[in-house]
Amino acid sequence: MYTLRLIFKNTMRHKLRTSLTILGLVVAIFSFGLLQTVVDAWYAGAEGASNTTLVTRNKTSLVFPLPLSYQARIRAVPGVSGVGFANWFQGTYKDPKNFFAQFAISGETYLNIYPDYLLPPDERAAFLRDRKGCIVGRKLADQYGFKVGDIIPLKGTIYPGNWELVVRGIYDGKQSTTNTATLFFHWDYVNETMKKVAARRANQIGVYVVQIDQPENAAAISSAVDKEFANSLAETLTETEKAFQLGFVSMSEAIVVAIRVVSFVVIIIIAAVMANTMAMSARERLGEYATLKALGFGPGFLALMIFGESLLLSAFGAAIGIVILFPFAAFLGKVMGTMFPVFEVSQLTVIQQVLAALAIGSVAAIAPTVRAVRINIVDGLRSIG
């Protein structure tokens, strides 16, 4: 207890220097955590993917569709327990800047594959009954003020025309990481219209989502599905949902890498600043360390004093940086809206922040400790004043 009090008093000996050092640590740990949270948000779709769901798309490119007739053939592949499908819609809501994900889906078969979308039974039934019905995620509903019964007008881009959808339900996420910033509506509504205005585009699917019985069978089932359509006019590529999501992330991988690099550069810079602070403190106390050695205190005690002060500074800075990160991330998540459907501080990020703080405190104390331990008593006493 006495040693802790002594460490604390040493830490507060130069209040301005201590305050500025802690402020720098707060900024560094906070920035590191925020940048890691941005990276996590980028990978949120892939991390939240089910290990029992496969995605089948056109082998040539995602922009090319697949025939509706493939559904029954995929369902017949051994190990497949369910098949749904979805089309990216990309309609404009009132203003082009109001961007959010919209998918035309196969209705009940699609929802059955994603039990993480929690929808009240009455709202689910209402959606399935209404051909023009849609369901929206809670985050999307909160951002635009959508309520059950509202009519959402969309101006089609991929599918030209004016489309009116009726909100029949608002779904929540089973997990905090579940995407609740998406609008789903019936593919049949789009398909019926295409049959009238562009018959060649009817009965075409963007991707099939395939539910399998056992995750360890994913590779074998993927291969079986693709063999089913080998040498056809629309060959397929089947992969796990996580691999499918990571394919999108890889398009912007350079940005993600840059963010990671910047986050670690911030830690390296503050470690250098912290090391300089500890070196200044140790230089001022060479006489004190020499006196302690003359009184019989060993190298271990001197190391404890220096490392204790450095780690205490790091702990204060890290604690404040971690605490303010949570409300700021929540605020930023609301401001960004559907840009990042999932934006929250993960447990891993907090652990990384703590480890970064420990690393900063430890590294900064090494050089001053070595100097204090090696100082000759006579030389140290001469440095007084």
Side-chain angles (χ1 to χ4, degrees):
M1 184 61 68
Y2 176 79
T3 304
L4 290 176
R5 289 176 59 190
L6 186 57
I7 291 173
F8 181 77
K9 287 183 177 181
N10 280 339
T11 303
M12 299 306 296
R13 187 177 296 187
H14 294 281
K15 293 182 174 58
L16 179 59
R17 181 194 299 168
T18 298
S19 299
L20 293 176
T21 303
I22 291 176
L23 178 61
L25 285 163
V26 169
V27 173
I29 296 298
F30 169 80
S31 300
F32 176 79
L34 183 61
L35 291 172
Q36 291 299 319
T37 301
V38 171
V39 173
D40 289 344
W42 225 294
Y43 284 97
E47 293 302 322
S50 171
N51 59 0
T52 58
T53 303
L54 307 178
V55 177
T56 299
R57 64 173 178 86
N58 192 297
K59 185 177 182 179
T60 304
S61 171
L62 189 60
V63 300
F64 294 100
L66 294 173
L68 177 62
S69 59
Y70 280 15
Q71 182 178 18
R73 294 171 66 181
I74 294 174
R75 184 65 181 84
V77 172
V80 173
S81 56
V83 181
F85 52 80
N87 268 52
W88 175 256
F89 186 73
Q90 197 175 330
T92 300
Y93 173 65
K94 293 185 178 180
D95 191 285
K97 68 180 182 181
N98 295 332
F99 174 83
F100 54 87
Q102 307 145 19
F103 287 95
I105 63 173
S106 57
E108 189 167 19
T109 57
Y110 186 90
L111 294 180
N112 288 341
I113 296 174
Y114 293 99
D116 282 358
Y117 297 147
L118 304 180
L119 192 63
D122 57 331
E123 294 182 3
R124 181 185 176 110
F127 165 66
L128 295 176
R129 284 196 305 266
D130 187 355
R131 190 60 60 88
K132 292 187 177 182
C134 71
I135 56 175
V136 297
R138 180 67 61 184
K139 185 172 185 178
L140 185 63
D142 291 342
Q143 181 176 350
Y144 291 99
F146 295 146
K147 301 183 298 294
V148 174
D150 286 353
I151 296 177
I152 301 178
L154 295 177
K155 185 176 181 180
T157 52
I158 298 176
Y159 299 94
N162 295 315
W163 306 77
E164 289 190 345
L165 305 175
V166 183
V167 179
R168 293 302 182 189
I170 298 174
Y171 71 87
D172 293 289
K174 186 176 182 179
Q175 310 290 337
S176 60
T177 54
T178 302
N179 183 349
T180 58
T182 304
L183 179 149
F184 297 105
F185 67 105
H186 291 284
W187 174 84
D188 287 343
Y189 177 33
V190 177
N191 196 48
E192 287 176 357
T193 303
M194 288 299 100
K195 287 179 178 178
K196 298 175 183 177
V197 301
R200 295 184 62 181
R201 297 186 62 186
N203 297 331
Q204 299 292 315
I205 302 302
V207 296
Y208 286 97
V209 287
V210 183
Q211 190 173 44
I212 60 177
D213 50 5
Q214 299 294 333
E216 57 268 22
N217 296 332
I221 295 174
S222 297
S223 178
V225 170
D226 293 339
K227 285 181 180 179
E228 179 71 22
F229 307 106
N231 301 317
S232 65
L233 293 177
E235 292 187 292
T236 62
L237 173 63
T238 304
E239 55 193 346
T240 63
E241 187 180 24
K242 184 172 185 177
F244 178 76
Q245 295 286 353
L246 287 175
F248 289 99
V249 177
S250 64
M251 298 177 186
S252 54
E253 189 173 4
I255 298 175
V256 177
V257 172
I259 293 174
R260 287 192 186 277
V261 170
V262 170
S263 68
F264 286 103
V265 167
V266 169
I267 295 300
I268 293 172
I269 291 174
I270 197 60
V273 173
M274 182 74 173
N276 183 63
T277 300
M278 292 306 301
M280 291 173 61
S281 298
R283 189 163 52 247
E284 293 171 354
R285 300 171 192 167
L286 286 178
E288 298 177 20
Y289 297 148
T291 302
L292 289 171
K293 292 180 75 173
L295 293 173
F297 289 95
F301 181 79
L302 297 180
L304 177 62
M305 295 295 295
I306 298 172
F307 269 89
E309 182 178 347
S310 183
L311 291 172
L312 184 60
L313 284 171
S314 297
F316 271 123
I320 298 172
I322 292 171
V323 167
I324 65 175
L325 176 61
F326 283 90
F328 187 82
F331 167 76
L332 202 59
K334 290 183 179 179
V335 171
M336 291 188 297
T338 57
M339 183 180 298
F340 285 119
V342 178
F343 194 87
E344 64 173 13
V345 182
S346 68
Q347 185 179 7
L348 179 60
T349 295
V350 175
I351 293 174
Q352 289 176 329
Q353 287 177 291
V354 172
L355 292 177
L358 289 174
I360 291 171
S362 299
V363 170
I366 292 175
T369 300
V370 171
R371 185 176 184 184
V373 169
R374 291 180 176 179
I375 188 69
N376 183 277
I377 294 176
V378 175
D379 293 336
L381 292 174
R382 286 175 180 172
S383 70
I384 297 177

